[in-house]
Amino acid sequence: MSWASDIRERYVRARWGGRGTGAADDATRAVLARLTSARWWIDNRDRIDAALAERNPLPAMTGGTEQARRAATRIRAELVGKRWGNAIPPGVLDALRRLTDAEWWVRNAVGDGRPQAIDRAVGAEVPEHDRRQMALPTYGPPKPAHTGRCEDQPAYAAAFAKALNAASRSGDSRSLQWDDGPRLPGASCCLSLGSTLGGREGKRRWLENRAAEIRRGRFRRPTIEQARAQARTELARFERNLDGWG
């Protein structure tokens, strides 16, 4: 058993360093937690990555921020654990392998606000037989929160401005504390869209301003491309801190 434990510890240390399995995504942590067989670690000591992939057949999330990808992985892992466990039907597995957009999972976890929103969103992507097996609730057509586009609503403009201000000052609107002061009124869809787009524009402005500062503060001025690259590196480090990666 000590040999297997040593293999596991060396693998975790090589893969995630001193942060241990806490730095792994939720799906990988769940698989590692179930791997208590010493024989598995000994037999697979020369192909651990490949063997883990076989135990965790779902691909990594793509798109969005690192925070969104981690949240999406958690949402998917919870859904799979609740619905299918380790026996995912082939049709469902095909759909889950296609659905790797992190923002899709985060958005549909809320959906229309009714129960089992993510279940119903995934159910719409699987074959008819698997959808029937899921026994999903049915509702009438969702009622829109407002008429017209979100971009035309006052809530959108307020959320955009608030996120823009926060992101242009710090580089990331996630540093904004929405609970400081009164909560912005309006439909959640408008607030979410305004915050997302305002934060994106604020981040762009922060990068440009930071690149200009880098060029001004050097005796040998870097090119604008070099300054922008350094600004992006600084912002990536800040985002890792916000995500808890240090």
Side-chain angles (χ1 to χ4, degrees):
M1 183 66 179
S2 60
W3 185 21
S5 298
D6 182 60
I7 293 170
R8 185 185 190 279
E9 289 174 6
R10 283 190 286 111
Y11 172 77
V12 170
R13 191 163 54 248
R15 181 88 180 268
W16 296 291
R19 294 171 294 179
T21 57
D25 60 72
D26 290 342
T28 300
R29 279 202 302 274
V31 171
L32 288 171
R34 293 195 297 269
L35 290 175
T36 57
S37 167
R39 174 56 57 189
W40 187 93
W41 287 97
I42 294 170
D43 289 347
N44 292 287
R45 62 187 181 277
D46 296 323
R47 56 180 301 274
I48 295 176
D49 280 329
L52 281 175
E54 293 168 0
R55 299 292 293 259
N56 180 19
L58 300 179
M61 292 292 177
T62 60
T65 64
E66 191 169 327
Q67 185 181 42
R69 291 191 294 273
R70 294 181 70 184
T73 300
R74 184 185 69 253
I75 293 166
R76 183 179 66 184
E78 291 174 354
L79 174 67
V80 170
K82 176 183 72 173
R83 286 279 180 182
W84 305 286
N86 292 324
I88 306 176
V92 175
L93 185 57
D94 287 343
L96 292 174
R97 284 173 173 165
R98 290 196 315 270
L99 297 171
T100 59
D101 179 17
E103 293 184 352
W104 184 92
W105 285 91
V106 173
R107 182 173 62 252
N108 283 288
V110 178
D112 58 9
R114 291 166 169 169
Q116 299 188 42
I118 191 62
D119 304 62
R120 290 182 284 117
V122 171
E125 303 289 337
V126 305
E128 179 64 29
H129 171 76
D130 295 306
R131 185 158 50 250
R132 288 198 300 268
Q133 293 296 314
M134 292 175 72
L136 297 168
T138 57
Y139 302 100
K143 297 180 179 179
H146 56 76
T147 58
R149 305 186 313 153
C150 279
E151 292 89 333
D152 299 329
Q153 308 303 314
Y156 169 87
F160 185 97
K162 196 168 187 179
L164 172 66
N165 181 53
S168 61
R169 284 189 288 105
S170 66
D172 197 309
S173 60
R174 282 175 293 169
S175 63
L176 177 65
Q177 298 299 314
W178 289 96
D179 291 332
D180 289 348
R183 187 172 180 83
L184 293 174
S188 60
C189 56
C190 304
L191 295 172
S192 176
L193 182 62
S195 177
T196 298
L197 297 185
R200 188 177 301 167
E201 174 61 18
K203 180 183 292 188
R204 187 193 66 78
R205 294 187 187 183
W206 185 91
L207 286 169
E208 289 299 315
N209 291 337
R210 180 58 186 142
E213 291 175 359
I214 292 169
R215 297 194 76 203
R216 285 196 301 269
R218 300 290 179 84
F219 175 72
R220 298 181 61 183
R221 293 181 63 183
T223 66
I224 185 62
E225 290 77 12
Q226 291 171 332
R228 285 170 176 165
Q230 181 177 333
R232 286 193 295 270
T233 299
E234 293 178 5
L235 181 57
R237 187 181 303 116
F238 176 59
E239 288 176 331
R240 285 198 300 272
N241 289 332
L242 285 177
D243 290 333
W245 287 64

